[in-house]
Amino acid sequence: MTMHNKTIAEISRDLTAGEYSSAEITQELLARIKAQDSTYNSFITVSDEQAIAQANAADACRAAGNASPWTGVPMAHKDIFCTNGVLTTCGSKMLSNFVAPYDATIVDNFNQAGAVSLGKLNMDEFAMGSSNESSFYGPVKNPWDTERVPGGSSGGSAAAVAARLVPGATASDTGGSIRQPAAFCRLTGLKPTYGRVSRYGMIAYASSLDQAGTITRNAEDSAMMLNVMAGFDAKDSTSVQRDVPDYTASLNDSIEGMTIGLPKEYFSDALSADMQQQVRNAIAEYEKMGAKVKEISLPNSHLAIPAYYVIAPSECSANLSRMDGVRFGYRCEDPKDIEDLYKRSRGEGFGNEVKRRIMIGAYALSAGFYDAYYKKAQQVRRLIKNDFVSAFNDVDIIMSPVTPTPAFKFGENANDPVAMYLEDIFTIALNLAGLPGMSVPCGQVNGLPVGLQLIGNYFDEARLLNAGHQFQQVTDWHLKAPNGIA
Ligand code: GLN
């Protein structure tokens, strides 16, 4: 039986019905990763032994009648999440020898729920990037076209799910790193509201923007993952104390009467006619289902990328100061003295994009420039948030493209950091505002996947999942598999 093309929900049902065991599907996926991942490079670490042990334990648990929906279901984690006893690199040489001594809260949540972790997924170094070209472990290939990037920074999560090596993966999103790779690989990506999912044990890039989320094949699976991940965590001071609904319960609600806002700034001439058409076709599907459309304005949209590229580097320069070659991680050979140890460990351990951002951030935070850059960027951030708050007075959900283009080729943006930064033009404002966003496959341009972005009000993940699921009941974009992958 081929099990690799099953979704999380299907596996959960099959395990309950006894169609196959967790050990069987786990073995099949591990064998598939071994045979095929040299093409994609989506895994940094495959945890064979641990996965088989978890699968056997899950099968025993089911036999004893104590199963949760996740008992025995395989998945994998982005390598930004600490996993006790398992290499946790964050895509960097700096952490290439770091075996985490504890589990991130969400890793623990999946373990407690009985899930089977197949390993750790490749990513841009410290989650900085939009193409997965900045990983110390080499680029990840897009299963839809291996000459193209899978997006980033969660490129490994997206490629592994698209190649049917794993049915779902955790990921993180600071400026678009879940939604953009999901769009490039024809997957469903969910970035929850800031504070909805614990950041404890997720290696910090820009703490006020980072949020853990999911990459899956469809909205139903995202809801199943969010059910495990969401909730208050006393170990994360920014996690929010608020009830967690059952996100699968409202998937089938009607969207009749839902008001969709279309930000005019997101449908400008900057977006090619082809991309616009795909997104507009998707919105027409919603109108057929009874939704109403309204044009809205987010007047400060053009300030999102500049504000982000002050705030994110500033926070990263502070967060990454803990990588000093002393306490953990990479240390240079034969340091002359303590200064040499710091300089060479950091100089040799970090890649170019990370260094560029640390330098920008240290500059923006320095005494003479703090007010002009960091403080100003924080003020702009508030304006961007206010735009969304007032838009949500009139609409239930906002829709837009996810990316300005489909997946680009390796090298195309690699020597032009600003071109690379513009990749996130439609996704980054949500992180500045702390809002939830989702990417849903909605069409294609030149045979390459295109995503529709659903933007929700604070803590309205259930509405996003409902809207995504309803769209997936009337369209089949999410059902297509890359060539040669059935
Ligand atoms: N591409 C953006 C950056 O490079 C966003 C990355 C992310 O969301 N982690 O910072």
Side-chain angles (χ1 to χ4, degrees):
M1 187 180 334
T2 52
M3 296 165 261
H4 64 263
N5 53 8
K6 304 258 183 187
T7 64
I8 291 170
E10 287 167 349
I11 295 168
S12 179
R13 286 192 281 268
D14 289 352
L15 291 173
T16 307
E19 298 279 329
Y20 44 81
S21 67
S22 175
E24 283 172 301
I25 185 164
T26 299
Q27 300 275 11
E28 176 174 320
L29 293 176
L30 289 171
R32 223 176 129 73
I33 294 166
K34 235 169 235 125
Q36 302 194 4
D37 200 40
S38 54
T39 308
Y40 310 112
N41 195 29
S42 65
F43 277 83
I44 291 175
T45 303
V46 182
S47 321
D48 305 59
E49 275 175 33
Q50 187 197 333
I52 290 166
Q54 283 181 324
N56 288 334
D59 286 333
C61 199
R62 279 202 182 263
N66 318 319
S68 89
W70 270 93
T71 305
V73 178
M75 46 85 63
H77 293 291
K78 184 176 181 179
D79 210 14
I80 197 168
F81 295 104
C82 287
T83 39
N84 192 6
V86 178
L87 187 68
T88 299
T89 72
C90 221
S92 183
K93 179 175 177 185
M94 189 53 109
L95 293 179
S96 53
N97 60 4
F98 177 63
V99 175
Y102 64 96
D103 280 325
T105 293
I106 66 152
V107 170
D108 190 44
N109 291 346
F110 279 105
N111 289 342
Q112 299 296 333
V116 173
S117 169
L118 301 184
K120 307 295 292 291
L121 296 159
N122 206 342
M123 55 181 285
D124 277 303
E125 185 178 8
F126 288 108
M128 299 174 197
S130 302
S131 67
N132 231 113
E133 289 164 291
S134 80
S135 171
F136 174 64
Y137 295 90
V140 177
K141 307 278 173 62
N142 187 326
W144 291 91
D145 177 349
T146 51
E147 287 177 14
R148 290 176 191 269
V149 306
S153 63
S154 311
S157 302
V161 177
R164 284 26 177 187
L165 303 179
V166 64
T170 56
S172 70
D173 190 312
T174 304
S177 281
I178 289 177
R179 291 159 285 158
Q180 184 249 22
F184 279 8
C185 295
R186 211 187 292 276
L187 298 168
T188 302
L190 176 69
K191 172 208 128 33
T193 309
Y194 184 80
R196 176 78 292 188
V197 173
S198 170
R199 291 186 299 113
Y200 180 76
M202 178 169 84
I203 295 169
Y205 160 18
S207 317
S208 75
L209 303 161
D210 298 341
Q211 179 58 218
T214 64
I215 294 187
T216 57
R217 299 242 302 279
N218 63 32
E220 182 183 20
D221 285 3
S222 303
M224 286 186 68
M225 287 190 77
L226 191 60
N227 275 352
V228 175
M229 295 164 74
F232 175 69
D233 179 11
K235 294 182 194 140
D236 171 4
S237 61
T238 56
S239 125
V240 174
Q241 203 144 20
R242 200 180 159 113
D243 289 347
V244 180
D246 174 355
Y247 292 103
T248 59
S250 46
L251 290 172
N252 289 313
D253 289 0
S254 163
I255 56 168
E256 175 95 47
M258 185 174 80
T259 312
I260 302 173
L262 301 184
K264 64 172 192 250
E265 293 80 4
Y266 285 31
F267 289 88
S268 74
D269 297 343
L271 185 66
S272 75
D274 288 351
M275 292 293 288
Q276 286 232 19
Q277 197 53 53
Q278 297 304 302
V279 175
R280 296 221 180 253
N281 291 347
I283 289 157
E285 290 293 339
Y286 278 99
E287 290 184 275
K288 277 195 233 156
M289 291 188 280
K292 293 192 292 278
V293 170
K294 193 172 168 180
E295 188 180 89
I296 58 163
S297 176
L298 301 169
N300 293 294
S301 295
H302 62 292
L303 300 174
I305 291 204
Y308 175 91
Y309 278 101
V310 173
I311 294 168
S314 297
E315 294 184 11
C316 101
S317 76
N319 278 325
L320 268 52
S321 64
R322 65 176 67 105
M323 317 280 168
D324 55 7
V326 175
R327 289 163 293 183
F328 54 86
Y330 176 79
R331 179 181 296 173
C332 66
E333 301 269 329
D334 302 323
K336 281 202 301 288
D337 52 28
I338 186 75
E339 195 169 323
D340 187 45
L341 174 119
Y342 288 147
K343 280 190 182 156
R344 281 203 293 122
S345 299
R346 286 170 67 82
E348 293 163 17
F350 290 134
N352 287 343
E353 186 59 30
V354 172
K355 286 181 190 163
R356 181 179 295 128
R357 297 195 189 194
I358 291 174
M359 285 191 281
I360 295 171
Y363 178 82
L365 290 178
S366 59
F369 296 106
Y370 180 90
D371 283 354
Y373 293 110
Y374 189 71
K375 193 167 157 215
K376 182 69 131 211
Q378 291 289 22
Q379 290 165 336
V380 169
R381 178 178 191 171
R382 174 52 66 108
L383 297 177
I384 289 168
K385 174 184 172 173
N386 290 349
D387 284 354
F388 282 106
V389 169
S390 65
F392 277 118
N393 288 330
D394 299 329
V395 301
D396 301 311
I397 193 167
I398 297 173
M399 294 192 188
S400 81
V402 181
T403 58
T405 62
F408 48 90
K409 292 202 165 154
F410 288 100
E412 220 171 282
N413 286 335
N415 297 320
D416 184 350
V418 175
M420 191 73 95
Y421 298 168
L422 289 171
E423 273 301 311
D424 294 318
I425 193 152
F426 302 126
T427 50
I428 235 163
L430 277 70
N431 301 75
L432 291 166
L435 290 166
M438 190 163 160
S439 173
V440 180
C442 79
Q444 58 188 17
V445 166
N446 301 329
L448 296 167
V450 172
L452 171 72
Q453 180 168 236
L454 313 180
I455 306 170
N457 210 338
Y458 295 100
F459 297 97
D460 214 2
E461 287 81 6
R463 188 191 301 273
L464 296 184
L465 291 161
N466 167 225
H469 182 70
Q470 290 306 306
F471 185 71
Q472 291 175 340
Q473 302 311 297
V474 295
T475 57
D476 62 1
W477 296 110
H478 63 292
L479 299 176
K480 297 183 193 302
N483 265 345
I485 299 176

